[in-house]
Amino acid sequence: INPLFIVILFGLAMLAASLIRKGSSGLEVFLVADRSMGTWAGAMSAASTWIWAPALFLATQKAYQQGAAGLMWFTVPNAGSLVLFAFLAVRIRNRFPRGYTLPEYIAEKFDMKTHLIYLFGFISLQVCSLAVQLIAGAAMLEALGGLNYKTGVVLLAGLFTAYSLIDGLRTSIRTDLIQMVVILAGIAILVPSAVVKGGGLGAIMDGLAGSGGRYPDLFDPYIAYSFGITVTIGLLSGPVGDQQHWQRAFAFQEGKIRKGYLLGALIFVTVPLSLGLLGFIAAGDPQTVPAVFSGALHPQQVGPEVISSLLPPWGILVFILMILGGLASTGDSALCAGGSIAVVDIFKRYIKPDANETEMLSAARWSIICMAVIAAGLSLIPGITILSLFLFYGTLRSSTFVPTLLILFKSTINQSGIFWGTAGAMTIGSSLYLYGECTGNIHIKVTANIGILLISGLIPLVMSIKRSNTDVNLFAQGERP
């Protein structure tokens, strides 16, 4: 198998789909797809966008390492996050119907420093999200096809960028549909074939307790504590702290947002549940993944190893195409989301307020190119893994989770409280989490994640109560608050 040929063929197919244009093009199309996304297109796009590298690799890995318990803690919060966002998306459209980004909404309601702290979190997230896709894709191409890792990073970054530059979000939505079909078709072909070759239902049952049968309890307290708490906070915070989904919320047709996202959650959940079966097979019979079992390969490679062990060479070809579909769907979404933030919240607001549409389109495209370069550089840093980066940037999303809920559902909230709560969660919580990750201390990581929610939520609430009491006292004294 020549991985370079596969990537190029896949890229040409995405470019061809992107170049088929219907209707007008322009800034509104580039940023929010002319606000014309329907229910099914939106559902497929939301599901496809949420199928990032962790969903494709970690589902199998957690099923292999921790059995049904690990897969449950990964799958349920993943689907739940899209269900939660279905209601938040309706809320933002009712309050800000002609918006483009969540930071833009923050800027309309609060001061500059609050806008800037959101801007930092949202831009950083898009860069990290893209880097995760590049790491996962390049590692897969190296492991399965022998393509040099650095070459893979550059090739994938160039691919995602090339077609994202054409029509922005409209391109992303159109290619999401194709990529989702590729993913579902790949699963429909590979998983049943691997299950049959791997021993059928009996093999799956043998692996439900994970590798070595160490976790027979679905609600194992160790897994719940060491993985469940952290991943649940990170995943539920995911769409709320991610412009990729706010951008789609603004792109839906009126009245179709909630149904689209709920349907998207159902479509999404089929992916980790199906890929988890490969992990159960490997856990039940370690000989299907001898390199992983012996420690020669990282457990994140369990999925590819099961496919290559049980199926003919065509299985790896299908698997590579399926993974490319998943990686590309989030990779191009991250670029489009980052481009929308850069042009709306930086270029238009702070650099050139009187910019015309042509200038804004140019700024959006250059921002996409810059993001791709930065993410590729991050992906080439030695020692970075999918899991560590995924859990780390989850703390950035968690830092804006509670403040965003307060902003959307509380009628009055202290703007300084929002700023200090978010900034405190980002600096203290994320630093503590990074220390816990570096030292391998589970207790520190769990404390950091819970602390992020407490800091980001309690500071705004306490400062709002204090401000309300001050206003009451001034009113009692006959002064204007």
Side-chain angles (χ1 to χ4, degrees):
I1 298 173
N2 188 330
L4 183 61
F5 173 76
I6 295 173
V7 175
I8 291 175
L9 186 64
F10 180 87
L12 290 174
M14 295 304 104
L15 280 171
S18 304
L19 291 171
I20 301 173
R21 295 184 173 186
K22 293 182 179 181
S24 61
S25 298
L27 187 66
E28 195 78 357
V29 167
F30 199 92
L31 298 183
V32 288
D34 211 20
R35 306 187 197 274
S36 62
M37 189 165 63
T39 301
W40 274 99
M44 294 285 276
S45 182
S48 183
T49 297
W50 196 228
I51 299 175
W52 44 14
L56 293 167
F57 286 85
L58 287 182
T60 309
Q61 178 184 340
K62 299 308 291 186
Y64 169 71
Q65 293 178 312
Q66 299 173 338
L71 182 62
M72 179 197 71
W73 279 111
F74 184 76
T75 303
V76 174
N78 253 310
S81 64
L82 294 181
V83 173
L84 172 63
F85 192 78
F87 297 92
L88 300 181
V90 173
R91 188 80 172 180
I92 195 69
R93 281 296 292 273
N94 290 338
R95 289 194 166 198
F96 200 43
R98 302 301 297 177
Y100 296 94
T101 75
L102 183 69
E104 180 192 16
Y105 178 66
I106 301 301
E108 294 292 325
K109 289 181 63 67
F110 300 102
D111 55 12
M112 181 186 292
K113 68 177 185 291
T114 307
H115 176 244
L116 290 176
I117 196 72
Y118 261 79
L119 193 57
F120 168 76
F122 271 53
I123 281 286
S124 299
L125 174 62
Q126 300 314 318
V127 173
C128 290
S129 178
L130 177 57
V132 165
Q133 314 316 310
L134 298 179
I135 292 170
M140 176 196 68
L141 292 173
E142 184 175 51
L144 300 184
L147 184 67
N148 178 269
Y149 175 81
K150 293 180 180 179
T151 302
V153 167
V154 174
L155 186 63
L156 291 174
L159 164 63
F160 300 160
T161 303
Y163 67 84
S164 297
L165 292 173
I166 297 173
D167 263 339
L169 185 61
R170 184 167 71 179
T171 294
S172 180
I173 293 169
R174 183 177 295 145
T175 54
D176 281 345
L177 298 176
I178 300 172
Q179 290 152 3
M180 194 69 233
V181 169
V182 169
I183 293 168
L184 294 177
I187 287 174
I189 293 170
L190 295 180
V191 174
S193 301
V195 169
V196 171
K197 290 287 186 179
L201 182 61
I204 293 173
M205 298 299 293
D206 290 342
L208 288 179
S211 182
R214 290 174 293 176
Y215 303 103
D217 183 3
L218 184 62
F219 300 98
D220 186 282
Y222 172 77
I223 297 176
Y225 178 75
S226 63
F227 179 69
I229 293 175
T230 301
V231 80
T232 298
I233 292 173
L235 288 172
L236 289 180
S237 305
V240 182
D242 192 341
Q243 170 60 15
Q244 294 180 40
H245 291 278
W246 292 112
Q247 190 175 24
R248 279 160 177 74
F250 289 119
F252 264 100
Q253 297 175 25
E254 289 288 344
K256 297 186 177 181
I257 303 174
R258 182 182 289 117
K259 187 176 180 181
Y261 259 93
L262 292 177
L263 183 59
L266 289 176
I267 295 171
F268 167 85
V269 79
T270 62
V271 176
L273 288 180
S274 299
L275 293 177
L277 298 179
L278 302 180
F280 294 148
I281 290 173
D285 181 9
Q287 293 307 311
T288 59
V289 286
V292 176
F293 186 72
S294 66
L297 278 180
H298 193 279
Q300 72 185 25
Q301 296 297 327
V302 166
E305 283 297 294
V306 171
I307 296 297
S308 61
S309 174
L310 297 177
L311 299 181
W314 60 258
I316 291 298
L317 172 61
V318 174
F319 188 78
I320 290 176
L321 287 172
M322 185 184 76
I323 297 299
L324 279 175
L327 298 174
S329 65
T330 302
D332 62 54
S333 295
L335 287 170
C336 292
S340 69
I341 295 172
V343 71
V344 172
D345 292 284
I346 300 176
F347 182 72
K348 178 71 173 177
R349 184 168 295 276
Y350 296 117
I351 298 176
K352 194 170 183 181
D354 61 344
N356 58 40
E357 181 173 318
T358 301
E359 292 171 324
M360 292 180 69
L361 272 172
S362 177
R365 289 189 169 103
W366 278 110
S367 299
I368 286 174
I369 294 172
C370 290
M371 271 189 58
V373 171
I374 295 170
L378 182 61
S379 305
L380 296 174
I381 297 176
I384 285 188
T385 64
I386 296 171
L387 182 59
S388 61
L389 190 57
F390 161 62
L391 292 177
F392 172 67
Y393 74 67
T395 63
L396 290 179
R397 299 185 304 196
S398 302
S399 299
T400 58
F401 179 51
V402 176
T404 301
L405 295 181
L406 292 173
I407 290 168
L408 290 177
F409 291 98
K410 199 173 186 305
S411 57
T412 58
I413 193 72
N414 184 276
Q415 64 179 7
S416 293
I418 292 292
F419 171 78
W420 288 113
T422 305
M426 283 185 178
T427 53
I428 299 173
S430 297
S431 298
L432 186 62
Y433 179 82
L434 182 59
Y435 176 74
E437 181 68 35
C438 293
T439 59
N441 191 311
I442 294 172
H443 306 297
I444 292 177
K445 291 193 286 185
V446 172
T447 300
N449 275 277
I450 295 174
I452 286 171
L453 296 186
L454 292 176
I455 292 170
S456 63
L458 289 178
I459 290 178
L461 289 174
V462 169
M463 292 186 71
S464 293
I465 293 171
K466 184 178 180 181
R467 174 61 185 272
S468 297
N469 291 337
T470 301
D471 289 348
V472 169
N473 291 334
L474 289 174
F475 182 79
Q477 297 169 14
E479 299 180 30
R480 185 181 182 88

